[in-house]
Amino acid sequence: FKVFPGPLSTMKEPLSFEILKKIRDTLARDEQVLIYLNRRGYIPRLFCTHCQESVLCQACLVPLVYHRQSDRFVCHHCSQFTKASQQCLSCHADLTTLGFGTERLAEFMKESFPQVPVFIVDTDHLSTHKKTTEELKKIHDSGSGIIVGTQMIGKGHDWPKVTLAILLVAPFDWERQLTEHVAQQMIQAAGRCGRHSAGHVLIPINHANQPPESFSALLKHEYNVFAASLLKAREKQNLPPFSTQAK
């Protein structure tokens, strides 16, 4: 693991110039690059600055995700959807986009490296067993290429040509969202890299958004230290296993 400080990732430029250079050098060796981002869709959150509210699912009260391929706002909890709009549903002011998902990241990689195949591995694009099998075979048979995916990419796949993995976890709220589930996904995604030859795992972070000590422990494979820090935080917030949430 190597932490790679740089500018803040944005929808317009999800990856920095320095990271793109690393990708270019890897592709020039006819190798593959894996980019992990556990956010499906094109834009994970839309915000109205006038109402000071996000566009929410009326059933679940969680932010709706914009999917460009279907031009819909989709709830990733209950799967309800509505036609996408650029204006707030309440006051009709223009919406502000926050963050980016695998659709936008894949689009950006195609724009940056138009001569290289870009594969998307998530449940939106690989919704059936047949599609999944066909896409995984294409990845295995391909020369140089870029694999963009969610936690699906960490499920035991063996891609011999993947020698560079980039884990986009910096958008997380470190203190609240660096859970054991996220840590497990990071380790699994990183495990796809360098299985047959030397590999590198890069974790881009914003200069101004330094991660907590628990993250450093994770990078050093000090899992006991990482677990102890999570338990300490949960005890402080009176969360399970130090309390019960159901009777």
Side-chain angles (χ1 to χ4, degrees), residues 1-67:
F1 290 100
K2 181 180 179 181
V3 174
F4 209 90
L8 181 67
S9 297
T10 64
M11 189 187 76
K12 186 177 180 180
E13 296 184 353
L15 298 174
S16 68
F17 179 71
E18 288 74 18
I19 293 293
L20 291 177
K21 285 172 58 179
K22 297 284 187 183
I23 295 174
R24 180 197 63 195
D25 294 343
T26 301
L27 297 175
R29 297 192 297 268
D30 199 34
E31 296 169 351
Q32 294 178 340
V33 178
L34 181 149
I35 309 178
Y36 163 83
L37 174 65
N38 205 32
R39 287 180 171 174
R40 293 186 289 123
Y42 195 84
I43 302 171
R45 188 175 177 187
L46 297 106
F47 187 77
C48 176
T49 55
H50 183 266
C51 296
Q52 292 294 301
E53 291 183 352
S54 297
V55 179
L56 301 177
C57 171
Q58 296 304 304
C60 305
L61 298 180
V62 297
L64 292 174
V65 178
Y66 173 59
H67 287 250

Side-chain angles (χ1 to χ4, degrees), residues 35 38 51 82-83 94 100 111 132 147 229:
I35 309 178
N38 205 32
C51 296
T82 182
K83 182 174 175 56
D94 289 341
F100 56 90
E111 294 168 352
T132 302
I147 307 165
S229 66

Side-chain angles (χ1 to χ4, degrees), residues 14-15 20 23 27 35 69 102-120 125 135 146-148:
L15 298 174
L20 291 177
I23 295 174
L27 297 175
I35 309 178
Q69 187 176 18
T102 49
E103 276 189 356
R104 169 55 190 153
L105 180 58
E107 180 183 75
F108 177 74
M109 300 315 299
K110 291 175 182 177
E111 294 168 352
S112 302
F113 304 97
Q115 75 284 6
V116 175
V118 177
F119 307 97
I120 306 179
H125 294 81
E135 194 71 358
I146 300 171
I147 307 165
V148 174

